[in-house]
């Protein structure tokens, strides 16, 4: 064939990049695979049957596998915040230039079709040393990278990862420069949500706190550090440390469930708001915390389901811990207040959050939590009482009152036989 035809038929140069390469090197199960393409244009990709999906920069879906293929690109900061970038993608951008714009060296490794690794920033060395290190000073241009660093720590802390001192110093400078103030709620929530699904959410909080971002993004949580609790109930003393332990216990009890994790994160916000003269007691902290929970949810546009469970957990966790002492009508009204007769899943959710609270304490991680099982028993008994078993002559509000009484009686039966 003529030389020109050969160049037209040259195979597309694509490389596996990012998390898929990193996780394989860490021996972790594979997730989504992302590809970078060098030497192509949007037109040539379309000609090969790839479907364009990227609005900000050229990303395409493979016609057979549906996996994402992005043209190699460079980016340049033009305005504050994470959206202030101009992207440049054309056939002349090299693989190394594309890798140079990535956040951490461990994410800036590519693999070619033969399985050979291209690693211009020593990402393999940092994987071996379990270090998160920024690729270049351009890291400082995108405040989302602070959240990503914290989320990667939540994901990889159990493997022994730490953040390179120079990267932490850069993150601190970014916070001081006000970059974090430009983060939009949707992006912040996305990263918080992802971190709460990881194995060690405590590392997310510790990382944000170490760089100064926690007091900007989650001031209500940051305020818990240094607040003392009664040692007989909380051997760990510090409320901030307790919150970290509760989040990690929630991740253990309800792996990958950010809903349980979020309610656990916010359950004790009221302890920073109690009268300091009463410390280490926290009188009424469960009520005082509710507006703080609402404030966090409003700021980051948290979905309604997450907001509702977090409010219930804040307000009711002490009641559930003391469930054995509560009168049958108080138990019934608690179940009604959390809307569990209509939303039965709330019982399991709240029981898990409260168990995480009880076991997220120094030396208490393996203790039993009988209140959880008791809450389930009380609810199952109460919900089994149906309105159609009541006096058929009852009308209007009288039906609701009779149903309440019958359910309280059923709860009382359980309580008497405990």
């Amino acid at each position: 064939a003529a030389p020109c035809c050969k160049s037209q038929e040259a195979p597309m140069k694509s490389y596996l990049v990012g998390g898929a390469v990193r996780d394989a090197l860490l021996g972790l199960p594979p997730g989504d695979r992302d590809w970078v393409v060098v030497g192509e244009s949007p037109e040539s990709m379309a000609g090969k049957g790839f479907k364009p999906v990227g609005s900000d920069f050229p990303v395409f879906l493979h016609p057979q596998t549906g996996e994402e293929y992005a043209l190699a690109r460079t980016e340049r900061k033009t305005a504050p915040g994470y959206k202030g970038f101009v992207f440049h993608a054309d056939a002349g951008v090299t693989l190394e230039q594309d890798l140079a714009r990535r956040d951490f060296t461990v994410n800036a490794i590519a693999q070619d079709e033969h399985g050979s690794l291209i690693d211009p920033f020593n990402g393999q060395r940092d994987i071996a040393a379990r270090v998160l290190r920024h690729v270049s000073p351009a890291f400082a241009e995108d405040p989302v990278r602070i959240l990503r660093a914290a989320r990667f720590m939540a994901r990889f802390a159990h493997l022994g990862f730490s953040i390179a001192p120079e990267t932490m110093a850069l993150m601190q400078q970014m916070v001081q420069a006000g970059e974090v103030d430009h983060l939009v709620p949707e992006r912040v929530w996305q990263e918080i949500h992802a971190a709460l699904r990881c194995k060690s959410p405590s590392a997310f909080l510790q990382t944000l706190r170490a760089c100064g971002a926690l007091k900007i993004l989650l001031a209500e949580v940051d305020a818990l550090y240094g607040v003392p609790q009664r040692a007989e109930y909380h051997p760990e003393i510090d409320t901030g440390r307790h919150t970290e332990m509760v989040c990690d216990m929630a991740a253990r009890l309800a792996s990958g469930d950010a809903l349980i994790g979020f309610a656990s994160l916010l359950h004790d916000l009221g302890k920073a708001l109690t009268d300091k003269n009463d410390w280490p007691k926290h009188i009424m902290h469960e009520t005082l915390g509710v507006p703080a929970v609402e404030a966090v949810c409003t700021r980051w546009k948290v979905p309604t389901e997450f907001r509702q469970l977090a409010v219930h957990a804040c307000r009711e966790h002490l009641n559930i811990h003391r469930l054995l002492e509560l009168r049958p009508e108080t138990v019934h009204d608690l179940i009604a207040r959390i809307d569990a007769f209509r939303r039965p899943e709330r019982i399991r959710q709240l029981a898990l959050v409260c168990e995480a609270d009880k076991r997220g304490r120094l030396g208490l991680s393996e203790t039993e939590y009988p209140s959880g099982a008791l809450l389930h028993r009380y609810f199952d008994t109460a919900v089994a009482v149906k309105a159609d078993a009541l006096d058929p002559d009852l009308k209007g509000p009288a039906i609701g009152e009779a149903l309440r009484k019958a359910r309280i009686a059923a709860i009382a039966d359980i309580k008497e036989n405990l």
Side-chain angles (χ1 to χ4, degrees), residues 3 9 81 114 286 381:
E9 290 166 16
H114 307 299
E286 66 278 24
T381 303

Side-chain angles (χ1 to χ4, degrees), residues 253-277:
L253 295 174
S255 178
D257 191 334
L259 182 62
I260 305 301
F262 185 67
S264 300
L265 173 65
L266 303 188
H267 82 283
D268 259 353
L269 292 188
K271 285 184 177 172
L273 305 169
T274 51
D275 188 335
K276 289 184 182 177
N277 297 318

Side-chain angles (χ1 to χ4, degrees), residues 262 293-294 297-298 302-312:
F262 185 67
V293 172
E294 296 274 15
C297 294
T298 300
V302 172
T304 303
E305 186 188 12
F306 285 77
R307 178 192 291 251
Q308 288 174 347
L309 185 67
V311 167
H312 291 317

Side-chain angles (χ1 to χ4, degrees), residues 131-206:
V131 171
L132 278 186
R133 189 189 316 276
H134 62 285
V135 170
S136 80
F139 180 94
E141 295 175 350
D142 184 357
V144 169
R145 289 177 165 178
I146 292 173
L147 285 162
R148 280 172 62 82
R151 171 163 62 83
F152 280 129
M153 284 303 297
R155 187 168 168 204
F156 296 133
H158 72 285
L159 299 177
F161 268 80
S162 64
I163 293 182
E166 65 269 30
T167 301
M168 180 54 76
L170 189 57
M171 288 161 60
Q172 289 165 345
Q173 289 165 22
M174 291 165 70
V175 173
Q176 286 157 14
E179 273 286 336
V180 174
D181 305 334
H182 297 287
L183 287 166
V184 298
E186 292 79 5
R187 202 68 177 82
V188 174
W189 171 245
Q190 190 181 339
E191 294 294 335
I192 292 172
H193 183 274
L196 290 170
R197 298 186 65 218
C198 294
K199 200 178 184 93
S200 311
S202 60
F204 178 76
L205 298 176
Q206 290 161 4

Side-chain angles (χ1 to χ4, degrees), residues 259-260 262-268 285-286 290 293 306-321 338 346 349-354 357:
L259 182 62
I260 305 301
F262 185 67
S264 300
L265 173 65
L266 303 188
H267 82 283
D268 259 353
H285 79 272
E286 66 278 24
V290 170
V293 172
F306 285 77
R307 178 192 291 251
Q308 288 174 347
L309 185 67
V311 167
H312 291 317
C314 178
R315 196 177 49 224
E316 308 293 354
H317 65 277
L318 287 193
N319 286 330
I320 291 171
H321 292 336
I338 64 171
R346 287 267 168 82
Q349 292 163 351
L350 215 46
L352 278 170
V353 176
C354 292
D357 176 28

